[in-house]
C-alpha cells in the first residue's frame, strides 16, 4: 500500500493513486435504518408519505420487444419507455412493511418475483451479460428492505440450508485430521477459503486461503474446488441438513451448471435423495462433500479483510473486533460498484438490526481495555 505523505501535494497524489480516503467512493444516497411501529427497514429514500407502496426507478437496460413486465402481490416491475433504461419497481414502502399480511408474504413473493426475473432475462428483456443474480441484487439495493430480511432479498438466503452462491460470499471447506505438532498428536484442520466472484453471466470460485498443515493429503474437494467447478457458471450450495423424513444428516452438496433454472429443477430431488438424482437433469453436476462447509461474507474492518458467518449482525461484528458502537460507521458496496453510507443509531440496539453483506466496510474506534 502506498503511504500517504504529510505534504498537501503528495497527499493529493496519494489520494488519486491509492484511494486513501474511502469517503470519495461514496457516490450514491445514504441508506438509512428507519423504523415505523418498531419495525426496522433499510431505505435510501426519505419515504415520509403514508402510502403503502413506493415506486423506484432502477437502471436495468433497454427493453426488447418481449413482454417484460412482472406483476405480483408484493413486487412488480414495469419496463421503461422507449429510449430509456430506467425500469419502475413497485414494492412496499417503509410504512407498507408494517402491514402484517405484506411482511408475512415477503419470502414467498420475493422467490416468485426472482423466478420471473430469471425468465425475463432468458427472454432477452435486460441488457446482455447480466445473470439473474446481479439483476436481483441491483433491485434489492434500490428498494426499501426489512432489515432482518435483507439477506433474503439480496442473496435469496433464508437460513433454510440452500443458497445460490453470489459475489460477496465466501465458501469455506474444512476437514479435521489427526496431525503432529511439537511431537504430539492433535486434532487439526485442513481448510481452504474461496471467494465467489462475478464471471461473465455467472460466478466462479477464487481460492484466497489454504491451510495444508504440510500434509501429503490434498483432497480436491478442499484444495481444488475452483478447478472442479471451472466449467460451471452457476453454483447452488445445499448445506448439511436433516434428510427429509429421516433423522439422518445429509452431507453438504454443491450443484454446478450453466443455467440457474436447471439447478433449481434438480435441487429438491437432490436435497431429499442425494447426488444420484442430479444425473437425470441435463447440464447439472453434483458434488457431495466429506467435509464441513461454511458460508461466509467478506468485509473490511478498519481496512483489514475479515470474514464472518452469513447472517452476522453489525453488532456481533463490532463486539468481536472490540469496536465501540458509538464510533462505528458502515459503507455498503452496491452491485453497481458504488458505495453508500448506512446511517443507523450508533447504539447497541441500532447495530443489532443491521445484517452484514459481502463488501461492507466497517470503521470505528477500539474500546479501551
Amino acid at each position: 500500500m502506498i503511504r500517504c505523505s504529510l505534504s498537501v501535494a503528495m497527499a493529493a497524489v496519494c489520494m488519486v493513486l491509492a484511494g486513501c480516503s474511502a469517503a470519495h467512493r461514496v457516490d450514491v444516497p445514504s441508506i438509512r435504518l428507519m423504523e415505523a411501529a418498531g419495525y426496522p427497514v433499510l431505505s435510501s429514500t426519505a419515504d415520509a408519505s403514508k402510502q403503502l407502496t413506493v415506486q423506484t426507478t432502477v437502471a436495468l437496460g433497454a427493453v426488447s420487444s418481449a413482454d417484460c413486465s412482472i406483476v405480483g402481490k408484493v413486487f412488480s416491475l414495469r419496463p421503461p419507455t422507449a429510449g430509456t433504461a430506467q425500469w419502475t419497481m413497485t414494492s412496499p414502502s417503509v410504512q407498507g412493511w408494517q402491514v402484517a399480511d405484506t411482511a408475512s408474504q415477503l419470502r414467498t413473493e420475493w422467490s416468485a418475483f426472482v423466478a420471473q426475473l430469471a425468465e425475463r432475462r432468458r427472454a432477452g428483456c435486460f441488457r446482455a451479460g447480466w445473470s439473474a443474480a446481479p439483476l436481483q441484487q441491483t433491485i434489492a439495493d434500490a428498494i426499501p428492505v426489512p432489515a432482518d430480511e435483507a439477506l433474503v432479498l439480496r442473496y435469496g438466503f433464508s437460513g433454510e440450508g440452500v443458497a445460490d452462491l453470489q459475489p460477496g460470499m465466501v465458501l469455506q471447506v474444512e476437514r479435521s485430521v489427526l496431525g503432529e505438532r511439537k511431537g504430539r498428536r492433535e486434532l487439526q484442520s485442513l481448510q481452504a477459503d474461496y471467494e465467489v466472484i462475478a464471471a461473465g453471466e455467472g460466478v466462479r470460485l477464487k481460492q484466497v486461503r489454504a491451510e495444508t498443515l504440510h500434509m501429503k493429503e490434498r483432497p480436491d474437494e478442499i484444495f481444488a474446488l475452483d478447478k472442479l467447478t471451472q466449467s460451471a457458471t452457476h453454483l447452488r450450495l445445499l448445506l448439511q441438513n436433516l434428510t427429509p423424513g429421516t433423522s439422518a444428516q445429509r452431507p453438504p452438496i454443491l450443484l454446478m451448471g450453466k443455467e440457474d433454472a436447471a439447478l433449481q429443477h434438480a435441487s429438491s430431488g437432490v436435497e431429499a435423495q442425494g447426488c444420484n438424482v442430479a444425473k437425470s437433469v441435463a447440464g447439472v453436476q453434483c458434488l457431495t462433500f466429506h467435509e464441513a462447509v461454511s458460508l461466509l461474507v467478506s468485509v473490511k474492518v478498519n481496512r483489514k479483510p475479515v470474514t464472518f458467518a452469513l447472517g452476522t449482525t453489525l453488532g456481533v461484528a463490532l463486539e468481536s473486533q472490540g469496536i465501540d458502537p458509538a464510533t462505528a460507521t458502515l459503507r455498503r458496496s452496491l452491485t453497481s460498484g458504488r458505495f453508500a453510507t448506512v446511517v443507523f443509531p450508533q447504539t447497541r440496539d441500532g447495530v443489532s438490526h443491521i445484517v452484514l453483506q459481502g463488501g461492507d466496510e466497517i470503521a470505528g474506534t477500539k474500546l479501551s481495555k
Side-chain angles (χ1 to χ4, degrees):
M1 179 181 292
I2 301 174
R3 184 180 298 275
C4 293
S5 168
L6 292 177
S7 74
V8 174
M10 288 298 292
V13 173
C14 177
M15 186 176 295
V16 172
L17 295 179
C20 298
S21 174
H24 282 70
R25 290 179 294 161
V26 179
D27 48 6
V28 296
S30 299
I31 300 170
R32 295 182 177 274
L33 183 67
M34 305 174 70
E35 290 194 40
Y39 188 62
V41 176
L42 292 167
S43 176
S44 58
T45 61
D47 197 15
S49 73
K50 300 299 182 181
Q51 298 295 320
L52 298 183
T53 62
V54 62
Q55 292 189 336
T56 309
T57 56
V58 189
L60 301 176
V63 69
S64 73
S65 59
D67 181 9
C68 294
S69 61
I70 299 174
V71 179
K73 294 179 182 178
V74 177
F75 304 102
S76 297
L77 184 65
R78 189 174 73 240
T81 56
T84 70
Q86 297 293 327
W87 294 60
T88 302
M89 179 72 185
T90 302
S91 64
S93 64
V94 173
Q95 292 290 336
W97 282 121
Q98 317 309 314
V99 179
D101 286 349
T102 300
S104 67
Q105 295 181 73
L106 182 149
R107 295 189 179 195
T108 301
E109 288 297 318
W110 183 252
S111 178
F113 174 80
V114 170
Q116 292 184 72
L117 196 67
E119 289 178 4
R120 302 301 187 274
R121 182 193 70 83
R122 289 191 290 271
C125 288
F126 307 106
R127 71 186 190 204
W130 272 30
S131 66
L135 285 169
Q136 170 185 336
Q137 292 183 352
T138 299
I139 292 170
D141 285 343
I143 65 175
V145 175
D148 59 352
E149 298 280 20
L151 295 185
V152 175
L153 275 79
R154 184 167 180 81
Y155 296 128
F157 184 73
S158 62
E160 295 173 356
V162 179
D164 292 314
L165 301 190
Q166 297 186 22
M169 293 180 175
V170 175
L171 194 67
Q172 184 177 88
V173 189
E174 180 181 12
R175 181 185 296 180
S176 296
V177 295
L178 277 174
E180 192 84 20
R181 184 174 182 178
K182 295 181 179 179
R184 300 179 61 182
R185 293 180 66 79
E186 63 177 28
L187 197 63
Q188 300 177 359
S189 293
L190 298 171
Q191 186 180 95
D193 292 353
Y194 294 87
E195 279 186 353
V196 184
I197 61 175
E201 293 193 10
V203 299
R204 69 178 179 88
L205 299 181
K206 176 185 177 183
Q207 189 180 104
V208 292
R209 190 180 73 85
E211 184 65 47
T212 65
L213 304 179
H214 305 292
M215 292 185 174
K216 293 180 180 179
E217 183 184 15
R218 302 289 176 88
D220 286 350
E221 293 172 16
I222 301 179
F223 300 113
L225 195 57
D226 48 352
K227 296 179 177 61
L228 291 177
T229 60
Q230 63 185 356
S231 63
T233 56
H234 292 76
L235 303 170
R236 170 169 280 208
L237 177 66
L238 282 64
L239 291 163
Q240 181 175 319
N241 208 342
L242 285 175
T243 302
T246 74
S247 59
Q249 285 283 347
R250 172 186 50 71
I253 290 173
L254 185 66
L255 293 176
M256 303 164 275
K258 294 188 176 180
E259 282 293 336
D260 48 4
L263 300 189
Q264 291 174 15
H265 179 62
S267 185
S268 59
V270 169
E271 190 172 2
Q273 301 178 50
C275 272
N276 285 334
V277 176
K279 295 176 182 178
S280 62
V281 182
V284 175
Q285 295 175 285
C286 190
L287 172 65
T288 300
F289 288 99
H290 299 92
E291 295 82 16
V293 178
S294 301
L295 203 49
L296 316 173
V297 288
S298 178
V299 306
K300 288 186 177 179
V301 181
N302 288 331
R303 300 187 180 184
K304 295 181 179 179
V306 184
T307 55
F308 294 99
L310 192 64
T312 298
T313 66
L314 176 60
V316 170
L318 295 176
E319 185 176 1
S320 72
Q321 300 296 305
I323 292 176
D324 183 355
T327 69
T329 61
L330 175 65
R331 292 186 176 92
R332 176 141 289 172
S333 174
L334 306 181
T335 310
S336 63
R338 299 176 177 180
F339 280 75
T341 298
V342 180
V343 180
F344 54 90
Q346 291 174 300
T347 62
R348 293 190 183 278
D349 183 58
V351 298
S352 71
H353 290 309
I354 297 177
V355 181
L356 295 181
Q357 297 180 5
D360 279 353
E361 295 187 350
I362 303 167
T365 303
K366 295 275 188 178
L367 289 162
S368 57
K369 295 182 178 179

